[in-house]
Amino acid sequence: MDRSSKGAGDGRGTRPPAHELARYESLFAARTRGMKSSAMREMMALTERPDVISLAGGLPDTTMFAPELYAKLMSQVAAESTARAVQYGPTEGMTAAVECIVEVMAEEGTAVDPAEVIVTTGGQQVIDLVCKALIDPGDVIVAEAPTYPGAVPTFGAYQAEVAQIEMDADGMPIDELERTLDRLAAQGRRPKFIYTIPNFQNPGGVTMSLPRRRRLVEVARERELLVLEDNPYGLLRYEGEPLPTLYSLDAEAVGRGGASDLVIYLGTFSKILSPGLRLGWAVAPRPVLEKLNLGKQGADLCSSAVTQLFVAAYFEDGEWRQYLERLRKRYRQRRDTMLEALEEHFGGRATWTRPQGGMFIWATLNEGVDTTDLLAHSEGVAFVPGRAAYMDGRRGASSMRLNFAGVPEEDIREGVRRIGKVMDGQAGLFGVLTGSLPGHEPAEDPAGAVTEHTAPAKSAGLADVVELPRRGGRGRAGRSA
Ligand SMILES: Cc1ncc(COP(=O)(O)O)c(C=O)c1O
């Protein structure tokens, strides 16, 4: 049997029934109550279905990577370093991989000291390790609203309280951040870190402006706060001038050609090369780095030596910038296609962001339609409902995240058309139920700013945890077990 060709969909990863869970309930740690399934994980199962057009997930287009190159690089690793490749490696990562990371950081305009880098199992592990190192139950994290749906379950698992600051077209407003910090300070609370995705934010699609970047670094320095800068998409810019990383701005503030002492930088090979490699990294001040290293020892000892050597061979090959250019070209086209399709099928009924790069558009419906419900009725098309980007699952109800990067253009058009069609039905239903007419005022400004939206009221109990709908009419929103 060819095991390698099997995907999911064989029952693994599905949720056990309530009566089975009840048997184990008293054994579970308190932190598991804060754990909820990442919307993205749920979506992965859907994306396996051939009949579903998935605009969900954060998938890059890996069909762009030539099989011949993959075979060549793997053969090179085998010929030159089989024993090292199939061995454990150092927790902090192999020197050959760190050299590639320094090169990518230089492309981002950011000089880093290799001694302050740790190689991780994807960028996701950085979020986990940072929480492991810094968060006790009840500690505060400040994040953007909406925020990366994949960070939501991690913050929940560490029982953090997350203050989410609503973004506009220029990212997180720093005056609002300061007001939030003042409010927290008045309660005697100091956030453990500020979590931000400054470039082509996931899921908002917006980019933090340069003045805000500068001010954020100033605020962090004034108040001695750590910043977790999550930057998977910085090199996927389709228009406009690249902006400096928070890390480099903070390093500048430190002076003497020094390293940042308040920014923890998260990078990844997932979007510029391949998520299947599961390789990311953190650059961090040494005392933090040491804790990340200890946390990683407990998590997985080290990241895969096979994929670190693969990356090293790939960078030696020297074509990585050209590959990136091809990705940019394709994704730019797909972004434009999605923007056109939105105009055609959502026009007048929604607003959406116009990202200068990255992989996502954030669309907000005007008609009081809850996108979690919409998804349940959207047979044949998937997207991430906006609630997944909010810790409490209450806000973001009428928004959705749409991935354009990993989807062929005809599927983008058809997927957006299908969502538009389901919207027709849902908006009509909403109008009948509430006696209101669809099509009233937009919740966002025309510049594409992401602002706070009022969700159709749900019971507080249900809003607490968002469970994504299952296909086939079982459960919609509810408290997960
Ligand atoms: C903002 C952000 N951070 C982190 C990650 C984690 O990526 P990975 O673990 O594949 O590096 C992603 C993936 O989509 C992301 O969008």
Side-chain angles (χ1 to χ4, degrees):
M1 182 176 66
D2 176 10
R3 290 173 195 268
S4 65
S5 64
K6 280 190 86 175
D10 52 4
R12 285 172 301 116
T14 57
R15 202 169 289 139
H19 69 272
E20 274 185 26
L21 277 168
R23 264 184 80 195
Y24 303 89
E25 193 59 42
S26 62
L27 300 173
F28 291 134
R31 84 178 72 87
T32 61
R33 286 196 276 278
M35 291 179 180
K36 51 190 169 182
S37 180
S38 155
M40 290 179 350
R41 297 304 315 159
E42 299 261 356
M43 288 299 159
M44 287 299 231
L46 267 184
T47 58
E48 295 271 335
R49 284 180 31 185
D51 55 320
V52 172
I53 293 178
S54 179
L55 306 176
L59 309 189
D61 186 349
T62 48
T63 65
M64 300 273 287
F65 200 84
E68 302 74 27
L69 179 58
Y70 177 78
K72 182 185 136 200
L73 295 171
M74 277 303 191
S75 307
Q76 188 180 330
V77 171
E80 292 172 4
S81 22
T82 292
R84 284 172 71 215
V86 298
Q87 189 54 279
Y88 294 109
T91 303
E92 61 273 21
M94 300 170 97
T95 306
V98 173
E99 283 169 2
C100 305
I101 289 165
V102 171
E103 216 177 313
V104 175
M105 293 299 293
E107 193 75 8
E108 293 272 12
T110 304
V112 296
D113 179 348
E116 301 200 335
V117 175
I118 182 168
V119 176
T120 57
T121 303
Q124 188 70 28
Q125 190 177 46
V126 176
I127 303 175
D128 188 72
L129 293 178
V130 167
C131 288
K132 198 176 190 178
L134 299 175
I135 300 297
D136 285 318
D139 279 350
V140 180
I141 298 169
V142 177
E144 290 147 346
T147 192
Y148 167 47
V152 168
T154 315
F155 295 161
Y158 285 96
Q159 297 167 280
E161 282 180 30
V162 184
Q164 286 191 257
I165 297 182
E166 211 65 41
M167 294 187 295
D168 61 23
D170 287 331
M172 188 199 294
I174 308 303
D175 50 356
E176 195 49 50
L177 167 69
E178 291 186 83
R179 276 193 286 278
T180 302
L181 295 174
D182 289 343
R183 258 196 310 276
L184 288 167
Q187 300 162 8
R189 309 180 82 186
R190 179 171 173 243
K192 286 297 183 72
F193 62 91
I194 300 165
Y195 174 63
T196 175
I197 305 151
N199 292 311
F200 328 120
Q201 205 252 12
N202 176 4
V206 296
T207 293
M208 189 185 286
S209 66
L210 182 56
R212 285 193 183 171
R213 287 175 196 234
R214 291 196 192 286
R215 185 64 198 136
L216 174 54
V217 167
E218 274 169 21
V219 169
R221 300 204 71 76
E222 285 161 16
R223 303 190 188 222
E224 274 280 299
L225 293 172
L226 286 173
V227 176
L228 175 54
E229 176 179 27
D230 187 353
N231 189 26
Y233 306 103
L235 294 178
L236 292 175
R237 177 177 275 282
Y238 316 132
E239 62 193 39
E241 284 304 305
L243 295 172
T245 60
L246 298 170
Y247 185 95
S248 67
L249 291 173
D250 190 52
E252 217 174 277
V254 170
R256 302 181 307 279
S260 161
D261 55 9
L262 288 174
V263 178
I264 303 165
Y265 182 96
L266 177 166
T268 177
F269 289 107
S270 287
K271 314 299 172 170
I272 59 170
L273 171 55
S274 146
L277 301 173
R278 304 310 304 131
L279 283 184
W281 64 91
V283 188
R286 302 228 183 171
V288 177
L289 195 71
E290 193 186 316
K291 297 292 184 200
L292 301 184
N293 190 306
L294 291 171
K296 185 169 168 66
Q297 289 176 34
D300 63 359
L301 301 177
C302 62
S303 295
S304 161
V306 175
T307 59
Q308 289 184 70
L309 290 169
F310 178 89
V311 166
Y314 177 63
F315 273 65
E316 215 175 278
D317 181 72
E319 296 285 309
W320 73 275
R321 286 184 187 79
Q322 284 90 320
Y323 182 62
L324 202 52
E325 194 43 51
R326 284 174 42 225
L327 289 180
R328 285 191 203 107
K329 195 164 166 237
R330 177 163 290 188
Y331 294 171
R332 182 190 300 120
Q333 257 167 15
R334 289 180 173 176
R335 177 203 59 176
D336 292 344
T337 299
M338 183 170 276
L339 289 170
E340 277 167 32
L342 286 168
E343 199 59 61
E344 184 175 347
H345 300 290
F346 283 31
R349 301 189 293 166
T351 51
W352 52 89
T353 51
R354 190 183 188 288
Q356 291 187 314
M359 298 174 43
F360 307 106
I361 289 175
W362 179 254
T364 301
L365 314 185
N366 305 343
E367 298 164 348
V369 173
D370 187 323
T371 55
T372 309
D373 292 340
L374 192 70
L375 182 64
H377 294 93
S378 295
E379 283 298 331
V381 60
F383 53 82
V384 175
R387 287 173 187 270
Y390 289 81
M391 285 302 291
D392 63 6
R394 288 166 203 242
R395 288 183 282 163
S398 53
S399 298
M400 64 175 76
R401 188 191 76 176
L402 301 167
N403 174 357
F404 56 82
V407 189
E409 288 179 52
E410 59 275 20
D411 285 358
I412 291 176
R413 283 196 206 92
E414 175 59 14
V416 172
R417 189 192 68 78
R418 286 184 195 176
I419 300 172
K421 199 158 158 253
V422 187
M423 265 161 65
D424 292 340
Q426 289 294 103
L429 186 63
F430 183 75
V432 169
L433 291 175
T434 61
S436 70
L437 287 173
H440 49 171
E441 76 279 10
E444 288 182 17
D445 73 40
V450 182
T451 55
E452 185 145 1
H453 309 107
T454 39
K458 287 239 165 194
S459 92
L462 290 185
D464 210 8
V465 171
V466 175
E467 186 175 307
L468 292 170
R470 306 242 155 229
R471 301 286 153 150
R474 284 185 293 129
R476 284 193 1 247
R479 188 181 288 276
S480 63

